[in-house]
Amino acid sequence: MLFDTHVHLNVSHFNEDLEEVINRAGDAGVDYMVVVGFDHETIPKAIALAEKYSYIYAAVGWHPVDAIDMTDKELNWIEELSEHPKVVALGEMGLDYYWDKSPKDVQKEVFRRQIQLAKKINMPIIIHNREATEDIIQVLQEEKAETVGGIMHCYNDSATYVQTFLDMNFYISLGGPVTFKNATLPKEVAQMVPLERLLIETDCPFLAPHPNRGKRNEPAYVKLIAEKIAELRNSSFEEISHATTNNAFRFFGIEQN
């Protein structure tokens, strides 16, 4: 049993073959997944998928790249949707300093407001971080995000920050980069994160793992990520899949059937 904690089946990349993609995930042993909505278009689609499939859940939030587009209306909308029984987290939210659509100060304000909402409704958060680690840590600490906890999504940062995030009640989620031949950071992280705080994800359609790197990613490939982590930790695939699945259930507050 595998749990892909971060998928974007709600984007146009899957318009032509969504059912086939979902079926392939099941055939690969991916029994659960969380579809993450991050803007006007993808949030309703995440909810719709969660309503259609019993084993799919949703997360709703506002992506930092589009922070400049978020108003009180969007925040109120996210709060309303958080009451949906299949919504299990807020996000993805955070900071992205690679793209320059939204100024840094705007990103930080939108990030803070979403953390404050998460604390208000007592829901965990999913963090997007691109080239903004120090500011991410500062905002999380100042807003006392540890009270709700969260996921450092698709962690691809230095191992030196891992303990800081663990101390703030966060899980570390690893994706396709852990399988890349030239990627040293996620491999080091995979070996050091306590098993009880480790999650796996594809972030599909992005960041497909080896040997599919450069192609469209999909949930079935999360098996490749689990296999690589097992190899790096001198563990078994069964131990990694069991632990990460149980961790996901615990984090999202989902009861196992």
Side-chain angles (χ1 to χ4, degrees):
M1 181 187 296
L2 293 161
F3 196 133
D4 190 343
T5 60
H6 198 113
V7 305
H8 294 295
L9 297 178
N10 47 348
V11 298
S12 61
H13 302 65
F14 299 106
N15 284 352
E16 302 300 322
D17 61 346
L18 179 60
E19 289 291 335
E20 291 89 341
V21 168
I22 291 174
N23 289 337
R24 281 196 292 271
D27 292 342
V30 184
D31 293 323
Y32 295 89
M33 59 188 88
V34 172
V35 179
V36 179
F38 52 86
D39 60 14
H40 284 295
E41 182 178 357
T42 59
I43 288 173
K45 290 181 179 179
I47 298 287
L49 284 167
E51 290 177 338
K52 183 176 181 180
Y53 299 94
S54 62
Y55 47 88
I56 291 180
Y57 293 82
V60 295
W62 206 259
H63 200 283
V65 170
D66 299 312
I68 197 168
D69 299 323
M70 198 193 85
T71 67
D72 289 345
K73 180 180 179 182
E74 281 75 31
L75 192 64
N76 291 336
W77 180 46
I78 290 170
E79 181 173 3
E80 291 171 5
L81 291 175
S82 70
E83 299 177 3
H84 192 288
K86 295 297 290 290
V87 172
V88 293
L90 292 188
E92 58 192 282
M93 65 179 75
L95 301 174
D96 191 315
Y97 291 171
Y98 180 80
W99 302 105
D100 60 359
K101 177 182 176 182
S102 296
K104 292 180 180 180
D105 60 334
V106 174
Q107 290 192 42
K108 288 180 182 179
E109 178 61 21
V110 167
F111 186 20
R112 289 181 187 278
R113 295 186 72 187
Q114 291 185 87
I115 297 172
Q116 291 162 9
L117 172 59
K119 291 163 61 180
K120 175 183 175 182
I121 63 177
N122 193 30
M123 184 167 279
I125 57 181
I126 299 172
I127 304 300
H128 172 102
N129 170 26
R130 193 167 187 187
E131 300 182 6
T133 305
E134 294 290 346
D135 284 355
I136 287 274
I137 291 172
Q138 181 181 358
V139 172
L140 290 174
Q141 290 177 337
E142 290 177 354
E143 296 297 333
K144 295 180 171 53
E146 71 275 4
T147 60
V148 290
I151 298 174
M152 297 308 299
H153 138 66
C154 204
Y155 193 88
N156 194 30
D157 210 332
S158 169
T160 59
Y161 295 110
V162 167
Q163 191 59 50
T164 300
F165 291 119
L166 293 175
D167 291 343
M168 289 192 290
N169 194 25
F170 275 73
Y171 287 67
I172 305 297
S173 184
L174 296 176
V178 76
T179 70
F180 296 169
K181 293 181 179 180
N182 60 345
T184 58
L185 291 178
K187 289 183 173 66
E188 183 179 353
V189 171
Q191 294 170 323
M192 67 175 291
V193 174
L195 189 57
E196 67 272 14
R197 301 289 283 279
L198 181 64
L199 297 171
I200 54 176
E201 62 171 272
T202 56
D203 195 23
C204 65
F206 316 109
L207 296 172
H210 177 80
N212 303 299
R213 187 175 183 181
K215 300 177 182 179
R216 185 190 69 173
N217 201 0
E218 58 180 76
Y221 298 162
V222 80
K223 183 178 182 180
L224 299 171
I225 296 164
E227 289 173 342
K228 185 62 178 182
I229 292 172
E231 175 190 328
L232 291 167
R233 294 177 69 100
N234 293 317
S235 181
S236 67
F237 168 77
E238 290 74 19
E239 181 182 17
I240 298 302
S241 60
H242 178 76
T244 55
T245 296
N246 284 341
N247 292 345
F249 280 128
R250 182 171 64 251
F251 174 81
F252 291 118
I254 298 171
E255 293 187 8
Q256 297 189 50
N257 295 326

